[in-house]
Amino acid sequence: MTSTEHVEIEGTPMVATLVPGSEIGLLALHGSNEGGTAELADLVARRCGATSLVFTQPGVRRPVHIPSARMAADHCALLREFLERVFVTVSLHGHMRPDAPHTIFLGGGNRAAARVLAEALAAGVPRFPAVTDLAAIPPALRGVHPRNPVNLSRLGGVQVELPLTARTSGSTDVPPGPVADALTAGVKELMSRAAP
């Protein structure tokens, strides 16, 4: 059952939407800033039966970008519920690095899970190289801050930084099918490895 919460973080009104599912969680902290991330989180979670939590700023022409480490607001009930429910988080973000227009960076604290997703991406969308070596990921995209929500679930998680063409189609926020398929395969593999 979908739950929504109106929450203010650092003076910015947001809507958090939680769809409960399995103990793998798809997270989009910047659904209104980073096109396609909210849509991809929702799509992959539905395909896998995973839990999803998406933050948006509906009706705002210029959404405010709050750094991930400052999005862990203790007063956000749905974020608390998400973190209590899931043990691995896959947090979807967008980057616009001109020196890496096709690269997907896989940061976050759970390096084993990052490698699982990298294998799925390499198999499904080889035109988007997946980088897991933290030293090769730009510091701002590494997702290793201890207060970043991706690292607050029981086993931490993976911060997936997607270039524009890996999360949007043309001028729309519709994620490309092959990327959605590859991420779905990776999340399903995480789920199978976590099964008793």
Side-chain angles (χ1 to χ4, degrees):
M1 183 174 202
T2 302
S3 301
T4 59
E5 177 185 7
H6 292 265
V7 61
E8 193 170 290
I9 300 176
E10 296 192 355
T12 300
M14 297 189 182
V15 175
T17 304
L18 175 73
V19 181
S22 76
E23 292 179 314
I24 300 286
L26 276 294
L27 179 63
L29 294 172
H30 306 119
S32 293
N33 305 79
E34 298 168 351
T37 58
E39 293 78 7
L40 196 53
D42 177 65
L43 178 60
V44 172
R46 279 190 287 110
R47 286 181 175 181
C48 299
T51 297
S52 67
L53 178 63
V54 172
F55 287 84
T56 56
Q57 299 170 47
V60 176
R61 286 188 61 179
R62 292 193 176 141
V64 176
H65 185 279
I66 297 172
S68 298
R70 302 203 319 251
M71 287 288 291
D74 294 332
H75 62 277
C76 182
L78 290 185
L79 178 59
R80 287 197 311 272
E81 183 178 337
F82 176 87
L83 293 172
E84 287 166 7
R85 174 180 289 274
V86 308
F87 61 81
V88 174
T89 298
V90 177
S91 187
L92 302 179
H93 296 261
H95 77 80
M96 299 284 285
R97 298 279 163 155
D99 54 337
H102 303 292
T103 304
I104 298 175
F105 297 107
L106 300 169
N110 190 321
R111 306 315 302 146
R115 289 187 289 276
V116 169
L117 292 183
E119 288 173 12
L121 289 164
V125 281
R127 71 186 186 99
F128 294 110
V131 175
T132 59
D133 179 2
L134 286 175
I137 298 175
L141 305 183
R142 288 178 186 162
V144 293
H145 193 287
R147 284 290 291 165
N148 186 328
V150 74
N151 299 315
L152 295 178
S153 49
R154 277 169 275 171
L155 298 179
V158 186
Q159 180 154 310
V160 182
E161 292 277 356
L162 298 147
L164 186 64
T165 52
R167 54 191 164 89
T168 62
S169 300
S171 60
T172 73
D173 287 342
V174 176
V179 174
D181 293 344
L183 273 174
T184 298
V187 170
K188 285 183 175 177
E189 180 63 21
L190 289 177
M191 294 170 91
S192 72
R193 293 185 184 206

